[in-house]
Amino acid sequence: MELRCQIVLGNTYHLENRPGSDLLKELGGLSFFTNWRSGTLTDSGGFQMVSLLDLAEISEKGVKFQSPIHGQQMMLTPERSIHIQNDIGADIIMALDDVVSSVHNEKSRFEKATQRTLRWIDRCIAAHRRPSEQALFGIIQGGLDHRLRNVCVEGLRERNDHLPGYAVGGLAGGEEKHAFCKVVSQCTALLPEDKPRYVMGVGYPLDLVVCSALGADMYDCVYPSRTARFGTALIPEGVLRLKTAAMSSDYRPIDSECDCMVCMRYSRAHLHAKITKEPNAASLLTYHNICYQMRLCEQMHQAIITNEFEQFVGRFIRRRFPVGHIPQWVRDALLMAGISL
């Protein structure tokens, strides 16, 4: 809680594999199982259609997975995904959608996924047993196709009374940045302003700022922990690679502006010595990286409240690109948001 995180995310597919939703329900849900007393969110398991594609078989009924743990088959239908999430007990649950990588090369597959996602949302709504306790979010699919994204948004908005929030899915999979930003801008502009707009899989600090300018409210990503495992810390200027030789005699904290316990206790040199030898070094960097991300989001939130967001964005970009080599996609995306650099 010292990191001031408001929500922790759990993956439905992996939680059902281990420890199982029956046990989580018996113990009072994910919050009690993890001793986490703040907000919780569960993914539907749909992303595994991409990440475990070789182990998945997708049909109108649902998606059949072969467990990478014990080899057993799991049939994840929209109904089962929702029932598992009901038992896990998260505050926010996600509809099962037909997820296709944004760089997939068959246009017909995106058409099929968009229409199936809309058919599945009705099955998810009908299966939801705890609508007064758990907020069900619908997920927009459609790849990079402007028409399909419109179709999906319009279809979900027809179910608006049953959906307390919306997510933009199927991005952050290696697509070109201009195309990514166009989809985010398109979807957020079409969604209700009084409900959360969640861009899934986004976690680079620059992307957080740009997507917030484009109208997004929520994000999730493994980036802070994954990059920590490679010895990389997040700082206002970008990243700090603690494995480099220059760090061995640098006795400053990771970030002199950061008040996390890692920056208060450890020098760059100390962490450099630990990062290649001690597994807990990655945990320390993860702690710092999450603190950085949370502070960045708090700063954006405050700037929005005080009507100073445009000035905040300008300061953030100038610090990250001090010599002025701002990527064109950043300039173009911020212009879509009405911010000129």
Side-chain angles (χ1 to χ4, degrees), residues 4 235-237 253-260 263-264 268 288 291-292 295 299 319:
R4 302 184 292 278
I235 57 174
E237 294 76 16
I254 293 173
D255 179 3
S256 60
E257 299 173 13
C258 181
D259 61 356
C260 81
C263 288
M264 299 297 287
R268 297 177 180 185
H288 163 79
C291 184
Y292 171 85
R295 188 170 66 252
Q299 290 169 347
R319 189 161 185 185

Side-chain angles (χ1 to χ4, degrees), residues 2-5 8 221-235 240 242 254 258 260-263 266 271 274-275 278-295:
E2 294 89 346
L3 293 172
R4 302 184 292 278
C5 293
V8 67
C221 193
V222 299
Y223 176 66
S225 54
R226 177 175 290 168
T227 198
R229 293 197 293 273
F230 291 99
T232 302
L234 305 181
I235 57 174
L240 185 70
L242 287 156
I254 293 173
C258 181
C260 81
M261 66 91 175
V262 179
C263 288
Y266 301 99
L271 292 166
K274 292 171 73 74
I275 199 68
E278 300 181 28
N280 77 321
S283 297
L284 292 173
L285 290 188
T286 296
Y287 188 98
H288 163 79
N289 287 348
I290 292 174
C291 184
Y292 171 85
Q293 298 280 63
M294 293 307 302
R295 188 170 66 252

Side-chain angles (χ1 to χ4, degrees), residues 1 3-12 15 24 29-44 85 88-94 134-135 198 218-222 225 286 290 294:
M1 294 301 289
L3 293 172
R4 302 184 292 278
C5 293
Q6 296 175 311
I7 298 177
V8 67
L9 185 150
N11 182 284
T12 293
L15 287 171
L24 290 171
L30 183 62
S31 289
F32 286 92
F33 180 73
T34 59
N35 196 30
W36 173 261
R37 294 298 184 263
S38 194
T40 51
L41 180 154
T42 42
D43 181 15
S44 65
Q85 293 183 82
I88 292 172
D91 301 297
I92 300 171
I93 65 176
M94 306 303 297
Q134 295 176 291
Y198 167 23
M218 293 172 56
Y219 314 94
D220 78 276
C221 193
V222 299
S225 54
T286 296
I290 292 174
M294 293 307 302

Side-chain angles (χ1 to χ4, degrees), residues 318-336:
R318 284 192 294 273
R319 189 161 185 185
R320 185 149 292 226
F321 304 101
V323 294
H325 299 309
I326 302 170
Q328 191 59 45
W329 72 265
V330 175
R331 292 183 181 275
D332 293 343
L334 292 176
L335 279 175
M336 283 189 269

